[in-house]
Structures are given as C-alpha cells and as structure tokens.
Amino acid sequence: MRLDHYMAACLLDPQAGYYGTRDPFGQAGDFITAPEISQLFGEMLGLCLAQAWMDQGAPACFTLAEAGPGRGTLMADILRVAARVPGMLEAADIHLVEASPTLREVQAKTLGHHQVTWCERVEDLPETAPLFFVANEFIDALPIRQFTRTETGWAETQVGAEDETLRAGLSPPTRLALLEPRFALTRPGDIVEICPQAVPVVEAVAARVRHGGMAIFVDYGGWRSLGDTFQALEKHEPVDPFACPGQADLTAHVDFEPLAQAAVAAGLAVSEMTAQGVLLERLGITQRAQALAGKLSDAALEVHIAAHRRLTHPSEMGQLFKALAFVPQGAPMPPGFAPAG
C-alpha cells in the first residue's frame, strides 16, 4: 500500500489507530509539544491573535479555532490572554478540530467552564464569521506520499510484507504530473515528499479567513521538501515506523511552500515563513520570561529557563520549527510576521 494509506491506518483507525486510543502528549507520552513545554508559547500566540483581532476592528462575533489541539493546553493559554482583552473572550465562538474521542475528553477537562464546539474536520468550521485560527504541529501528522527521483521518473515509497514483517519498498518509476516541476530541480536519488491533505486544509481555512480573521500554522519543516523526513516516535525516541503499526507516532516535516501557494491562490496576503524562535522573540517572549522568572527560584527557575531556551534557541526548537500566517488582503499582518517578498 502507499505510504500515506499506511500512515492513515496507523494513526486514525477508530479501533486501533494511534490518536484514537491514547493521550500521546507530555513526558509520560511519546512526544511533547511547545504548549506543554511552557505557558510562554501559548501566551505569545494569544497576544498575536488578540492584536490581530483588534487590528481588524474587534469583530463582535468571531470563530476562535484550533486544529489538532492536543490536551487543550494551547487553547487554554490563548483564552487566558483573551480574557484580559476587553470584549474578546465574549465575542469568541470556540471550536476545536479534533477527531479523537479520547483527546476530546482531555480537552474538555483542560478548558473547564469554557463553552467549546468540537468538529472532526477543518471543513466543518463555521463559514461566515471571521476566523482566527491556529494549528501547532497539525500538518506534520497528516499522511504523506514519498517519491524517489530516478533517471526516468519517480518511484513511490510503498509498504508491504516480507516474511511476515512490514517493510518499505519502491514502485516502478513513472513520470508524474504533480511532480513534473520538481524533476528538473532534482537529481537521481533525491527524495521528495508531498502531503495530499495539507493544501485542502489551507484552502478550507482560507475560504473562511476571506471573511476576516487570520491563520497561523506552526510546525517543524522548511520550504520546498527535499529528503526523507518520515519518522516514528515512541517514548520520545525514534523507532522503526513499520515495527508496531498503531503504537508509535508517525510524522514528517512540513513543506510550507505549497501551503503559502494555496493561501495566495485563495486571494489572501501571506507572511514570510518565520523561524519559531524569531517569531517568539518578536512577540516578546524574553521579556515575559524575565517577568515570570522573578517569581521563581531553585528547581522551578531552572525548568523555566530551560523551557525558554528550548522554545527559542536555534539548536533546539527555535530554528527547526517554522510559522506561516495569512490574512485577508488589506488587513495588517499579525505582529511578529513580515509580509512575504
């Protein structure tokens, strides 16, 4: 079967899929995301969303949505910021895009008294109200197709069984229209990955942001996919992605170029792709970290300092993770982001 079909089965199967059967987040899980590392991350994105909301006239009714909300930690931090902005929390119609019943239960506990609407797909979000949207480590979990360039075309990675063991192999090479622009820009042996579901997600978000609002995508990856980035994580360590289907997190680096192209094609203004560390510094994370540090000591202070470094330093998450924003044409670019060239 194709690699994207394998990933979809492992991650999303209702009975045995990875996301539907467990809470994978945090130190006790398989990986940890930025909101779980420190409240600083969610507060900075909350400030960005709040300023964008005010810059667009503080609409009296808007959709505040997150895709792939994990435990609900990021949304809780955003809502804490929104509560300090007059009128913002009251105007927000909160939506979480989450298919896992297990994670929905966790999110409901995290968000406590807030009224939340859950939906399974981005396409299910309200279509008419302005949309202020954030997705952190969402696109990386969407299934990918992977292709190896040959002298004559592209051989696709497929998953099959050999001696009752799952292994990856390659299909016979062929020329593919969707990768034709990449053929002259690559050499035999180069690997290119595409995410079939990523562009439809951006298109659905863009169709709503046209009414007003903004969208922020944060994920690890870069511009124009090149190389094998498919990986599996279990207990925070890399593992064989074919050894135990459904037991490990399967991800790949995000290619931000097609996301930006889809938003531009939808008529929106798009930011430059921005390193996470740069974005957070522009939003004032160090000043906020210093203010919080004054209330801490000993081990708590050490954890706080380490969290700030992990989120921002180029050798940690600061450079590996990137961010992209888009807004309606004519609207101010959200704080921390610069307009694309």
Side-chain angles (χ1 to χ4, degrees):
M1 69 171 70
R2 285 181 359 194
L3 182 59
D4 59 328
H5 295 163
Y6 173 76
M7 287 183 69
C10 290
L11 295 175
L12 303 174
D13 182 86
Q15 279 73 48
Y18 179 78
Y19 283 112
T21 58
R22 72 199 67 218
D23 174 3
F25 300 96
Q27 296 293 348
D30 295 320
F31 57 89
I32 188 167
T33 60
E36 303 289 339
I37 293 171
S38 170
Q39 69 185 72
L40 293 168
F41 181 80
E43 288 179 351
M44 293 304 104
L45 290 193
L47 288 171
C48 182
L49 288 162
Q51 186 62 56
W53 177 73
M54 291 187 288
D55 287 344
Q56 294 190 32
C61 182
F62 71 96
T63 302
L64 176 60
E66 181 185 357
R71 290 177 170 172
T73 305
L74 175 55
M75 181 57 74
D77 291 337
I78 290 171
L79 292 174
R80 191 171 61 254
V81 172
R84 295 173 175 245
V85 180
M88 184 177 181
L89 190 57
E90 294 76 12
D93 182 19
I94 305 164
H95 282 67
L96 298 180
V97 181
E98 178 59 71
S100 167
T102 300
L103 290 177
R104 286 189 183 192
E105 291 181 5
V106 176
Q107 292 153 15
K109 293 178 181 178
T110 301
L111 296 175
H113 63 277
H114 293 288
Q115 184 173 347
V116 177
T117 300
W118 280 269
C119 51
E120 294 200 0
R121 308 177 307 146
V122 170
E123 291 83 354
D124 298 328
L125 291 170
E127 297 185 20
T128 55
L131 172 63
F132 289 77
F133 173 92
V134 63
N136 177 62
E137 292 199 53
F138 175 68
I139 299 295
D140 70 85
L142 298 180
I144 62 159
R145 297 178 69 181
Q146 188 184 79
F147 300 89
T148 300
R149 163 86 146 77
T150 71
E151 293 286 355
T152 58
W154 298 93
E156 182 166 9
T157 300
Q158 297 183 332
V159 181
E162 181 180 344
D163 298 328
E164 299 185 355
T165 301
L166 291 179
R167 301 185 187 278
L170 294 175
S171 71
T174 185
R175 294 299 283 261
L176 297 168
L178 79 167
L179 289 178
E180 198 62 31
R182 300 296 306 273
F183 196 81
L185 302 175
T186 52
R187 298 177 296 177
D190 284 348
I191 294 174
V192 170
E193 297 169 342
I194 63 173
C195 181
Q197 296 178 27
V199 166
V201 166
V202 171
E203 290 173 339
V205 172
R208 289 151 177 81
V209 170
R210 278 199 297 264
H211 300 292
M214 62 169 287
I216 302 175
F217 289 87
V218 183
D219 229 311
Y220 53 90
W223 193 265
R224 192 169 296 164
S225 162
L226 187 63
D228 178 9
T229 71
F230 177 57
Q231 64 178 337
L233 288 176
E234 187 173 4
K235 303 300 180 186
H236 304 271
E237 296 292 337
V239 296
D240 181 351
F242 308 111
C244 298
Q247 299 300 306
D249 180 40
L250 304 179
T251 70
H253 285 205
V254 172
D255 183 359
F256 281 86
E257 183 182 34
L259 308 188
Q261 291 173 337
V264 169
L268 300 180
V270 179
S271 75
E272 292 180 342
M273 185 183 70
T274 307
Q276 175 177 293
V278 172
L279 174 64
L280 295 176
E281 291 293 355
R282 288 175 179 172
L283 292 171
I285 190 172
T286 295
Q287 293 87 338
R288 175 59 173 156
Q290 291 170 342
L292 289 175
K295 305 174 184 178
L296 303 173
S297 61
D298 301 330
L301 179 59
E302 292 180 11
V303 169
H304 176 67
I305 293 171
H308 173 265
R309 175 185 170 85
R310 187 170 180 184
L311 291 174
T312 61
H313 198 276
S315 67
E316 303 220 23
M317 298 175 72
Q319 184 60 39
L320 175 62
F321 282 72
K322 311 296 194 306
L324 186 75
F326 49 83
V327 295
Q329 287 288 347
M333 194 59 63
F337 291 94

